[in-house]
Amino acid sequence: MIIRRLVKKNIRMIKPYQATELECRVKLDANESPYGFGEALAAAEGIETNRYPDPEAGELRKTLAGMWGVRESNILHGNGSDELIYYLVAVFGGPVMYPRPTFSMYGIIAGIMNEEAAGVPLGKGFQLNTGRMVKEIREKKPRLIFLSSPNNPTGNCFERDSIIKLIKAGKGIVVVDEAYQPFSSQQSFVKLIKEYPRLVVMRTLSKVGLAALRSGFIVAQKDIIDEVNKARLPFNVNSLSQAVAMQALGNRRKFQDFVNAVVEERHLLFDSLDRLEGVQPFPTDANFILFRVNNAEKVYKMLLARGVLVRNVSDAVKGCLRVTVGRPEENRIFVNELSKILKRV
Ligand SMILES: *Cc1c(COP(=O)(O)O)cnc(C)c1O
């Protein structure tokens, strides 16, 4: 009680991000890849544990610069992209704007930093309500807009033209969060940073098999990177992560094979869900599927009781759960348990 009184009011009001570990046999709740890079751990062997990591993550940024066709000075590294959201809000401040529903960390971090945050409801087919957003941008003059494309938890990409319209509508920074871009057919916005000086593209290794590393990046014009870099803690990405990421990135083919396998499974999983009576899956460009059921809360709990963990997103999208595409065997168990449950609720 007394400690609570010492805490700043904006922090007291924050509902923490749900990242609890629940016991389960099939884990399909966090949009992780079912495939990892265990062999890349060998790169940790030579690390001198008594030395601080390379503060600039130079080799890693150089490798990524080559992959993305930008300069090293266009990339900043974070301990996951979550950390970079923190830095962006610290540096540019609010109002912070984003469509709703979307990735909850944008709002949570704005709250922690005591910045005003505005969630603008999505329109038809979970697309951006461009007219309404342009209006809100003119009224509220956000200094930061976050657009997750593909969007979490809805799974769809936002239309390219809508995103560009929003970049042009205001004077603030627009962050296109491409955490799920590898699974989509939408082209990356990285190429557009030259054309749009207020555009920031956010990427992460978390959804493509390296969530354990906590390794995320922003790509933008150098003046943005230099400003955000002032907020960065000196040794934010540890040596093990840097080394293992480098090693894993050396095998581009493997990344692509994993992504292809997930996308292929996604189509099969979508069709399986679509065939179930009482289940409405929504089209997706990501490594997860949003689906509607009658009594989402109950279905969620019954799945968990059978060892299948999905994400209950019914707070954000009425009646919906979100399932990550897992290995074929995991997806089969999930569909099988779900179909049994549906006969009982
Ligand atoms: C999972 C996710 C991230 C990833 O964050 P990391 O901190 O890099 O693991 C970022 N944005 C969205 C929309 C996500 O769903």
Side-chain angles (χ1 to χ4, degrees):
M1 243 5 231
I2 290 176
I3 292 296
R4 231 181 105 77
R5 262 191 272 144
L6 287 171
V7 173
K8 293 195 289 182
K9 185 158 169 265
N10 59 304
I11 303 290
R12 253 184 271 156
M13 295 189 333
I14 285 165
K15 225 176 91 189
Y17 183 84
Q18 303 173 18
T20 41
E21 284 282 335
L22 289 170
E23 201 62 38
C24 61
R25 107 186 119 113
V26 178
K27 187 178 183 314
L28 302 174
D29 67 322
N31 300 343
E32 295 147 324
S33 170
Y35 310 112
F37 291 83
E39 75 290 345
L41 292 173
E45 275 293 317
I47 286 174
E48 294 185 299
T49 60
N50 54 319
R51 301 294 175 200
Y52 277 111
D54 172 7
E56 310 292 332
E59 267 194 84
L60 187 51
R61 284 168 51 236
K62 196 162 141 194
T63 302
L64 291 167
M67 279 169 55
W68 294 334
V70 296
R71 292 173 187 273
E72 248 176 276
S73 57
N74 295 121
I75 300 179
L76 193 67
H77 52 294
N79 196 295
S81 38
D82 287 354
E83 188 186 48
L84 293 163
I85 300 171
Y86 234 114
Y87 293 164
L88 286 161
V89 178
V91 168
F92 294 106
V96 177
M97 189 177 281
Y98 39 80
R100 203 180 62 209
T102 191
F103 188 43
S104 60
M105 288 312 294
Y106 310 141
I108 291 172
I109 290 170
I112 294 171
M113 304 297 282
N114 208 12
E115 298 290 353
E116 196 185 313
V120 182
L122 287 172
K124 234 178 101 198
F126 300 129
Q127 280 300 318
L128 292 167
N129 185 339
T130 317
R132 170 132 183 217
M133 279 203 85
V134 168
K135 189 165 160 277
E136 299 251 357
I137 288 168
R138 292 195 178 131
E139 279 168 15
K140 297 205 167 88
K141 303 189 171 38
R143 300 172 77 93
L144 258 178
I145 299 176
F146 287 98
L147 303 172
S148 165
S149 185
N151 187 40
N152 179 7
T154 58
N156 60 301
C157 282
F158 297 137
E159 280 167 18
R160 206 175 175 76
D161 291 349
S162 303
I163 294 176
I164 288 171
K165 221 176 254 176
L166 297 189
I167 296 171
K168 289 177 173 167
K171 296 195 164 67
I173 301 287
V174 176
V175 183
V176 177
D177 182 346
E178 294 190 334
Y180 302 101
Q181 189 276 340
F183 306 99
S184 87
S185 45
Q186 186 173 66
Q187 260 196 359
S188 169
F189 276 68
V190 161
K191 293 229 157 39
L192 298 186
I193 61 160
K194 289 198 187 84
E195 197 174 332
Y196 299 104
R198 291 177 287 104
L199 171 64
V200 172
V201 179
M202 197 152 69
R203 313 271 312 192
T204 179
L205 302 182
S206 294
K207 309 297 151 72
V208 289
L210 295 166
L213 301 188
R214 309 301 299 122
S215 188
F217 306 89
I218 53 172
V219 192
Q221 288 200 6
K222 183 176 180 300
D223 54 352
I224 293 184
I225 297 297
D226 290 346
E227 293 301 330
V228 179
N229 192 33
K230 293 178 186 170
R232 187 177 60 82
L233 300 174
F235 304 106
N236 61 327
V237 178
N238 70 65
S239 307
L240 292 116
S241 288
Q242 291 187 35
V244 175
M246 279 298 297
Q247 183 74 23
L249 287 169
N251 198 344
R252 292 279 300 275
R253 177 71 192 274
K254 194 160 177 173
F255 272 97
Q256 201 51 55
D257 288 348
F258 285 173
V259 166
N260 292 347
V262 168
V263 170
E264 202 170 305
E265 262 306 302
R266 178 183 79 196
H267 291 300
L268 297 174
L269 179 56
F270 185 94
D271 291 342
S272 302
L273 288 174
D274 206 28
R275 279 195 294 268
L276 289 181
E277 185 134 5
V279 179
Q280 185 195 359
F282 293 94
T284 176
D285 294 300
N287 65 341
F288 58 85
I289 299 175
L290 181 79
F291 62 100
R292 181 166 280 148
V293 285
N294 294 321
N295 206 340
E297 182 72 31
K298 191 159 177 201
V299 171
Y300 169 78
K301 285 191 177 143
M302 289 175 80
L303 278 169
L304 188 56
R306 287 161 172 74
V308 179
L309 181 60
V310 298
R311 183 98 173 172
N312 184 359
V313 294
S314 56
D315 281 353
V317 201
K318 204 168 153 31
C320 285
L321 303 177
R322 188 193 72 191
V323 62
T324 306
V325 179
R327 292 171 185 268
E329 175 63 12
E330 295 173 313
N331 302 333
R332 202 166 58 233
I333 294 172
F334 158 68
V335 171
N336 192 26
E337 296 297 345
L338 178 63
S339 69
K340 282 193 275 182
I341 289 166
L342 289 169
K343 286 178 190 132
R344 299 184 45 199
V345 290

